[in-house]
Amino acid sequence: HAGKVVVVGGGFGGATAAKYLKRANPAIEVVLVEPAETFYTCPFSNLHLGGLRSMDSIAHGYDELQDRYGVRVIHATAEDIDAAAHTVKLSTGSELEYDRLVLSPGIDIRWNVLEGYDEDAAEKAPHAWKAGSQTEKLRAQLEAMEDGGTFVMVAPDNPFRCPPGPYERASLVANYLAQYKPKSKVLILDAKDNFSKQGLFMEGWERLYGDRIEWVGLSDDGRVTRVDADRLEVETEFGTVHQADVLNVIPPQKAGWIAERAGVTDDSGWVPVKPETFESQQAEDIYVIGDATVAAPMPKSGFCANAQAKVVAVAIAASLESRPAPAAHWTNTCYSLVGPEYGISVAGVYRVKDGVIAEVEGSGGVSPMDAPDTTRALEAEYAVGWYNAICQDTWG
Ligand code: FAD
């Protein structure tokens, strides 16, 4: 008996962990629990929004994990976890036992923390921060918008899923508007004063879109405190009301709710983990990866979820044989498309130093400012290469 591992969540973290557990030791029994039969990636969903990609092109299934790697895939929701008994209760009514559990449930929305933004409001003012029907809804609204309309985006404070994501989205919406609705604009109302790759984004916006994108930061009264989804209106901290034609609210977030059921979240709503192995600090034999964790300075990215999953797979395989886990290293690169042929990126390398996750000194960085168009075009190509490679690595 080499051990049984249950993995909850078949996104970037969970699917990778399941596959790499089998690769680390094929004798380990690996069960992946994921409700969806088709997973739509958030990465490149902004391209769908901008009319540059089909939903099909960002859809991934679980056949390969099952048929090629020997992962047992169960399409169900994990409804409860008993950490002491080492069991997972499924929506199908059955119960799974585990020796080790991996949770990669991604994010959930903190409903009503932003006044007026609840599940009903999300139907009218989509967040599209989980890809799928929300993405399609926002795309349909954008397509139906009259020329001359304003796409208003509400951007959250840190920490949240995909730090550069809102700004890539604003870029690709502006790209669509420039072509099809030239009198329209994008207004970003932001709860913070700085954002990821800000200088590079702003340089690109000026270069490609002139004044089509307006960004209002916290200090300029950018923080939205109330949403009226019926009227497509938002109100800021100091009482300014902005009227939208399409309203995209990216609300505050927390770890996927099953993490709370497992008892591994803290007051922040996220999951603290042991840096070397990503085992929960609060429950033995439960490993948590991806967006649900507190892993700063690593960002909440698909790239990091995938990297953390591999470290966890090796750590679990070692622990099942009572061997120590090897030293962990992680990397991250987040590409963003400012335009279809204009890519920028940020990269980082991380390891554990003095008991915490730290960026390796002298590593990483962002794309150069004032780079020639050929550099931006190359990075846009790298972004597509990255997307194909990571999806292959995760589900293929
Ligand atoms: P997910 O990939 O969301 O997977 C979670 C899975 O868990 C889901 O399939 C869900 O159905 C399942 N689940 C949840 N609860 C349960 C339960 N109780 N039982 C069973 N299953 C459950 N990252 C990048 O690296 N590069 C990018 O270019 C990039 N672009 C992005 C653009 C946008 C617009 C957004 C929103 C995000 C982007 N990201 C990007 C971030 C990336 O999507 C996330 O960091 C990544 O998905 C995190 O992986 P995860 O495994 O933690 O969660």
Side-chain angles (χ1 to χ4, degrees):
H1 180 62
K4 177 168 176 176
V5 183
V6 174
V7 180
V8 173
F12 280 92
T16 307
K19 172 172 163 179
Y20 276 81
L21 275 159
K22 285 306 256 185
R23 284 181 63 159
N25 180 0
I28 299 172
E29 186 187 346
V30 180
V31 182
L32 176 65
V33 180
E34 161 63 51
E37 290 188 19
T38 302
F39 182 88
Y40 292 97
T41 60
C42 282
F44 278 25
S45 66
N46 286 332
L47 278 84
H48 177 72
L49 209 56
L52 300 168
R53 255 187 187 248
S54 67
M55 286 301 279
D56 272 355
S57 77
I58 58 167
H60 303 275
Y62 296 92
D63 289 352
E64 288 282 301
L65 286 182
Q66 193 151 273
D67 301 343
R68 196 152 153 225
Y69 295 97
V71 174
R72 187 175 146 219
V73 181
I74 301 179
H75 290 297
T77 300
E79 284 189 338
D80 209 354
I81 286 159
D82 186 333
H86 282 51
T87 55
V88 181
K89 203 176 128 212
L90 302 186
S91 52
T92 53
S94 64
E95 202 168 77
L96 299 172
E97 292 181 351
Y98 64 81
D99 296 309
R100 303 288 185 277
L101 176 65
V102 179
L103 298 179
S104 193
I107 55 150
D108 263 318
I109 306 296
R110 301 179 87 114
W111 300 114
N112 289 310
V113 165
L114 185 53
E115 191 190 326
Y117 200 68
D118 57 16
E119 273 122 316
D120 285 342
E123 297 298 307
K124 295 159 192 152
H127 51 78
W129 223 239
K130 293 185 183 190
S133 59
Q134 278 275 311
T135 317
E136 291 180 286
K137 195 164 292 196
L138 192 58
R139 171 66 188 161
Q141 291 181 352
L142 188 59
E143 278 191 286
M145 187 176 90
E146 301 266 333
D147 191 10
T150 304
F151 180 97
V152 175
M153 173 191 287
V154 178
D157 198 358
N158 297 317
F160 65 101
R161 159 176 282 184
C162 195
Y167 314 98
E168 179 189 68
R169 174 172 293 177
S171 308
L172 296 179
V173 167
N175 179 67
Y176 165 76
L177 296 177
Q179 279 181 52
Y180 297 100
K181 295 169 191 186
K183 296 203 285 278
S184 311
K185 58 173 284 189
V186 177
L187 173 64
I188 309 169
L189 299 169
D190 211 323
K192 54 196 173 303
D193 266 330
N194 300 290
F195 61 86
S196 173
K197 294 180 271 191
Q198 184 166 356
L200 286 162
F201 270 112
M202 289 190 157
E203 183 190 58
W205 290 348
E206 204 180 304
R207 166 105 175 69
L208 300 179
Y209 308 120
D211 55 7
R212 191 177 299 281
I213 302 176
E214 184 187 352
W215 176 77
V216 182
L218 173 68
S219 302
D220 294 315
D221 195 23
R223 194 166 84 90
V224 167
T225 50
R226 193 179 60 82
V227 174
D228 185 335
D230 289 320
R231 303 169 67 143
L232 298 182
E233 268 177 18
V234 296
E235 188 181 330
T236 63
E237 199 168 9
F238 294 106
T240 312
V241 173
H242 296 273
Q243 177 70 53
D245 294 282
V246 173
L247 180 56
N248 173 211
V249 178
I250 305 169
Q253 298 150 31
K254 60 179 181 179
W257 59 268
I258 191 67
E260 210 176 314
R261 301 285 310 165
V264 294
T265 52
D266 67 12
D267 290 345
S268 71
W270 304 102
V271 179
V273 291
K274 297 176 188 165
E276 300 81 6
T277 57
F278 276 61
E279 189 177 10
S280 156
Q281 287 184 6
Q282 280 150 232
E284 222 179 319
D285 297 333
I286 302 184
Y287 295 71
V288 190
I289 50 177
D291 289 359
T293 61
V294 180
M298 266 190 271
K300 297 187 187 303
S301 74
F303 196 122
C304 281
N306 170 276
Q308 291 158 8
K310 291 173 186 172
V311 169
V312 157
V314 172
I316 289 178
S319 90
L320 287 170
E321 292 177 2
S322 307
R323 286 185 284 113
H329 292 259
W330 306 268
T331 54
N332 177 64
T333 306
C334 282
Y335 290 99
S336 299
L337 291 165
V338 183
E341 283 161 26
Y342 192 115
I344 56 176
S345 64
V346 54
V349 184
Y350 311 89
R351 70 169 179 218
V352 181
K353 198 179 170 201
D354 303 326
V356 295
I357 299 167
E359 220 168 330
V360 173
E361 224 175 290
S363 73
V366 295
S367 310
M369 291 286 287
D370 299 316
D373 287 350
T374 47
T375 302
R376 305 298 187 218
L378 263 180
E379 286 224 76
E381 272 186 50
Y382 298 158
V384 177
W386 168 79
Y387 181 78
N388 293 338
I390 197 158
C391 291
Q392 174 68 35
D393 192 33
T394 304
W395 295 278

